[in-house]
Each structure stands twice: as structure tokens, then as C-alpha cells.
Amino acid sequence: MPGKTIALGCDHGGFKLKSVLKEALEKKGYTVLDVGANSGASVDYPDFGHAVAKLIEEGKATRGVIVCGTGIGISLAANRHPAVRAAVCTSGLMARLARAHNDANVLALGGRIIGVETALDCLEEFLNTPFEGGRHAARVEKI
Ligand code: RB5
């Protein structure tokens, strides 16, 4: 994918999974901008969804990965930013289609919903699947 800087954020419900994803991204050679949280202590997911979205808005990261307990709350916050298309995914197929059809630029995962292997599948598809464009481009434009 063009641009190798990924913004990464989570709340306490996503902290463990975020640590795994961070290591995987760094191993793949990505630069990771980790906005926290940095422990399993209770925090508010919107703070981290907004922080990742801001890095994308400012052009400091090309893509983002966000994790909370379900992936839902943190994606709702990130999606308030017009530059962001965050997709909650629970399978590699969803992540592939979120890229191919929706040009999602933020992957949202639920640390209490999916296991590590599925999360890594989602990450792989999110990073490596190009947007198909064509008929999908006009639809994405309408968002
Ligand atoms: C935190 O307990 C939990 O509500 C949060 O991680 C997330 O699942 C919200 O959507």
C-alpha cells in the first residue's frame, strides 16, 4: 500500500489486541503512530477514535487501526471525521470488501469479539487489498 504510516489507537477493551497488531505492523515495516491507550486501565474510547482520525485528517498517517471492546464505539467516533471511513470487521472477507468496495481507510476491531488469528487476517486484507474503484467510486463519493 502507498504510504507506510499507520495510526493506531484503542481503549482498555482493545489494549491487548492493539499490542499484537502493533508488533505485527512493525514487523511488516510500517511506521506506527500509537496514540494509546497504553494499558488496560479504563479510558473513554472516543478520545482514541478522534486521535487516530485527526492523524489521518492532518495527513500524518495514511491509514488507521482502532480497537475497543466491540470496535463499534471507537469507529462511531472516528467516522465523525469526513476524512475517515472506518469499518468494523469480524472476518478477513469483511476487511477485504471494506477496502475493495468502500475504500475504508480505518480498520476497527473488537478486542472482546474476535481472536488474534482473525484480527491478523483482517489486518492483512486491510493492508493489501486495493480499492476497486469503478462503480464503487461514485458510491463512496456519495458518503
Ligand atoms: C468499554 O467497556 C466498552 O464499552 C468499549 O470498549 C466498546 O466496546 C464500546 O463500543
Side-chain angles (χ1 to χ4, degrees), residues 79 82 84-85 101-103 131 133-143:
N79 274 323
V84 168
R85 286 177 303 282
H101 290 189
N102 312 116
D103 200 16
F131 178 47
R135 69 187 188 280
H136 301 295
R139 294 168 183 162
V140 168
E141 197 54 41
K142 284 188 175 185
I143 295 174

Side-chain angles (χ1 to χ4, degrees), residues 11-12 45 68-70 72-73 112:
D11 75 351
H12 51 288
Y45 57 80
C68 67
T70 58
I72 295 171
R112 295 172 181 157

Side-chain angles (χ1 to χ4, degrees), residues 16 23-24 31 43 47 49 55 68 94 98 101 112 121 123 140:
K16 275 191 188 157
E23 196 183 316
T31 300
V43 290
D47 298 341
L55 288 173
C68 67
M94 283 182 77
H101 290 189
R112 295 172 181 157
D121 278 353
L123 183 67
V140 168

Side-chain angles (χ1 to χ4, degrees), residues 50 52-61 78 80-84 105:
H50 288 307
V52 165
K54 203 160 173 259
L55 288 173
I56 290 170
E57 262 171 2
E58 290 169 351
K60 292 180 180 154
R80 299 306 298 256
H81 299 250
V84 168
N105 56 0

Side-chain angles (χ1 to χ4, degrees), residues 26-82:
E26 286 173 345
K27 262 195 199 148
K28 291 173 194 292
Y30 289 92
T31 300
V32 175
L33 303 179
D34 185 350
V35 303
N38 298 314
S39 79
S42 185
V43 290
D44 297 333
Y45 57 80
D47 298 341
F48 301 92
H50 288 307
V52 165
K54 203 160 173 259
L55 288 173
I56 290 170
E57 262 171 2
E58 290 169 351
K60 292 180 180 154
T62 40
R63 300 252 186 106
V65 177
I66 51 181
V67 194
C68 67
T70 58
I72 295 171
I74 200 163
S75 68
L76 291 175
N79 274 323
R80 299 306 298 256
H81 299 250

